[in-house]
Amino acid sequence: MARPRIAWLPGDGIGGEVLQATRLVLDESGFEANYIPGDIGWEFWKKEGTPLPDRTIELLRHTECAFFGAVTSMPNVDAMRELPEGLRAKGARYSSAVLRIRKMFDLYTCLRPCRAYPGNPGNMREGIDITIFRENTEGMYSGAEWDKIPLELYEVKGMERVPRQAAITIRAITRKASLRIARAAFDRAADTPRQGAASDPARTGICPEKRLVTAVHKANVMRATDGVFLSAAREVAGEHPDIGYEEMLVDTCAMQLVRDPLRFDIIVTTNMFGDILSDLCAQLVGGMGFAPSGNIGDKYAMFEPSHGSALDIAGKGIANPVAAILSARMMLEWLGDKDSAGRIGRAVADVIREGRVRTPDMGGKMGTMAMATAIAAKLKKGT
Ligand code: NAI
Ligand code: MG
């Protein structure tokens, strides 16, 4: 395989720390790439009036994929306060770098596997293995928002229900985006056997070997938007009679995930529900330090740990790098190096199971680089 070009975007807070740890593991895995560093994050918002400079977008255009740490982002009032007067006068407006990249490169699948690695003291239950397919380009994060509703909108029938002084966000759901996220979920289900603890057929009514896709929605209230999402999910389910399919309200799903996480396999849902449920699922398997993610489109992808910049622990060298390392594993799979990906996965699993290295989130005292070094040492030994 020719050396892929990878945009390397550490960002803010623990982003840089977990990426440094990830490089150690990538280099030990034998995987070779050209890693090209790029600017992203809060520092560039303050210096240049944008957290995503144009040169970084250019970098992404000239690479096979990107690997990203995390960025700090703040509500508008705080973001504006931190901006120097000169840039404020030029009309700089904060918009999320990650959301912009997802949209700009049409990275429509946010893939978030949450797996309980055996022996992880943070596992809520052993055997949890849930994969979330979150639609990544629209929904509540459409970016169409108004602090004050434009007067012309009041001409539209139905708007009389909205108070005059309201700020509004548009929840945009298209059939096209719903179909493709549902396809991504069902394709994954069709390609791979079910792992993790077999669900109890008496509870789910579904054969334990059969994969199960749960479409999560709130169509009983948001009838228009989630109506579109659900009908697309049903259509794709109809094309896959061999895969189990069920629908669940998002609030019920949050409750069921805590009550009986083993019943879940693949969850497919809209953008914001997926964002929230994936943090919940991360905590079922030890917390944000164990939750990798991929933002995947047809031509480009960006891999990142699901966590943010974790300012409460940044700079201390204690962030758990496993989420980032597992994201790198997903990246290698996407790039077609299944062998290195598999070895990284096994090395992580071994280190967690053996229990000699424990970061503070696992109840231990060891740091980011100690965890990465232990995983790299396993790779060296040829796990
Ligand atoms: P967070 O995900 O950064 O942290 C949540 C909690 O989990 C914190 O207590 C943190 O210490 C812990 N945690 C996160 N990653 C960890 C790791 N690898 N090891 C051990 N503990 C870990 O979310 P938070 O604190 O709400 O947000 C901090 C900043 O990050 C905010 O500015 C937010 O906007 C931003 N953010 C950025 C994201 C991204 O870049 N994709 C995603 C989520 C938040
Ligand atoms: Mg999130």
Side-chain angles (χ1 to χ4, degrees):
M1 186 173 66
R3 272 177 169 240
R5 290 161 56 87
I6 298 173
W8 192 255
L9 311 171
D12 303 312
I14 65 168
E17 300 170 38
V18 296
L19 257 61
Q20 191 195 349
T22 302
R23 263 306 280 286
L24 190 73
V25 171
L26 277 170
D27 291 346
E28 198 59 66
S29 76
F31 171 76
E32 290 188 347
N34 292 332
Y35 299 98
I36 308 161
D39 297 335
I40 194 166
W42 199 248
E43 184 191 335
F44 301 96
W45 164 246
K46 289 201 290 188
K47 277 203 300 225
E48 303 179 26
T50 172
L52 182 65
D54 288 346
R55 58 183 178 282
T56 306
I57 298 169
E58 266 318 287
L59 169 65
L60 300 194
R61 290 215 168 95
H62 292 96
T63 46
E64 265 79 62
C65 64
F67 197 75
F68 164 66
V71 291
T72 298
S73 59
M74 296 184 190
N76 259 346
V77 273
D78 305 323
M80 294 316 285
R81 203 176 37 230
E82 295 224 356
L83 200 65
E85 189 56 48
L87 289 169
R88 222 177 298 166
K90 280 191 191 152
R93 238 186 111 77
Y94 191 88
S95 71
S96 159
V98 190
L99 295 195
R100 272 185 71 203
I101 293 173
R102 287 170 178 162
K103 271 200 181 169
M104 203 178 289
F105 291 85
D106 203 20
L107 309 180
Y108 58 87
T109 298
C110 187
L111 175 58
R112 296 191 154 176
C114 292
R115 176 172 172 214
Y117 280 86
N120 184 351
N123 288 342
M124 209 72 91
R125 297 266 282 278
E126 294 294 328
I128 298 171
D129 194 346
I130 302 169
T131 304
I132 296 190
F133 283 80
R134 158 189 173 194
E135 202 294 320
N136 219 13
T137 58
E138 54 177 39
M140 263 325 227
Y141 301 172
S142 68
E145 297 197 292
W146 289 266
D147 303 331
K148 279 208 192 87
I149 303 177
L151 281 177
E152 336 48 296
L153 270 187
Y154 281 105
E155 310 291 320
V156 179
K157 194 163 169 278
M159 279 300 287
E160 66 281 357
R161 293 191 211 114
V162 181
R164 285 260 154 182
Q165 297 307 320
I168 55 168
T169 297
I170 302 277
R171 184 175 200 255
I173 304 279
T174 63
R175 177 175 150 75
K176 180 183 166 213
S178 303
L179 279 174
R180 62 187 187 173
I181 193 67
R183 292 229 153 84
F186 276 92
D187 285 352
R188 166 61 63 101
D191 282 353
T192 48
R194 187 161 185 174
Q195 290 169 353
S199 70
D200 179 351
R203 283 185 301 190
T204 64
I206 283 162
C207 160
E209 275 80 42
K210 199 167 160 178
R211 299 220 69 162
L212 170 64
V213 174
T214 307
V216 176
H217 67 97
K218 191 75 184 178
N220 57 338
V221 178
M222 297 191 286
R223 291 170 180 275
T225 48
D226 267 349
V228 169
F229 170 72
L230 267 194
S231 78
R234 278 179 199 180
E235 189 174 320
V236 179
E239 296 162 8
H240 292 274
D242 47 331
I243 295 170
Y245 173 72
E246 63 175 356
E247 294 166 358
M248 199 177 284
L249 293 169
V250 63
D251 38 358
T252 310
C253 182
M255 177 273 287
Q256 289 287 8
L257 278 167
V258 174
R259 193 181 75 87
D260 190 11
L262 299 184
R263 72 178 298 298
F264 290 93
D265 180 10
I266 290 176
I267 287 175
V268 62
T269 189
T270 49
N271 203 339
M272 189 170 80
F273 293 164
D275 190 8
I276 297 169
L277 292 179
S278 56
D279 276 26
L280 194 163
C281 288
Q283 197 57 46
L284 296 175
V285 298
M288 299 309 292
F290 293 91
S293 85
N295 304 279
I296 301 169
D298 291 333
K299 298 198 184 94
Y300 198 77
M302 180 169 77
F303 297 86
E304 54 165 328
S306 298
H307 61 72
S309 54
L311 297 172
D312 53 341
I313 57 167
K316 298 183 179 158
I318 57 169
N320 188 341
V322 165
I325 292 166
L326 291 173
S327 307
R329 173 208 173 162
M330 288 168 70
M331 176 174 76
L332 299 199
E333 255 166 27
W334 186 79
L335 285 166
D337 188 350
K338 298 216 163 24
D339 179 53
S340 304
R343 285 187 304 112
I344 291 177
R346 286 192 295 280
V348 168
D350 285 353
V351 169
I352 294 174
R353 196 185 52 248
E354 288 170 9
R356 281 194 286 274
V357 184
R358 293 280 190 247
T359 44
D361 57 323
M362 303 171 84
K365 289 201 166 65
M366 292 168 89
T368 309
M369 291 314 281
M371 177 58 92
T373 306
I375 294 167
K378 283 279 171 214
L379 285 166
K380 197 174 215 152
K381 268 203 217 146
T383 309

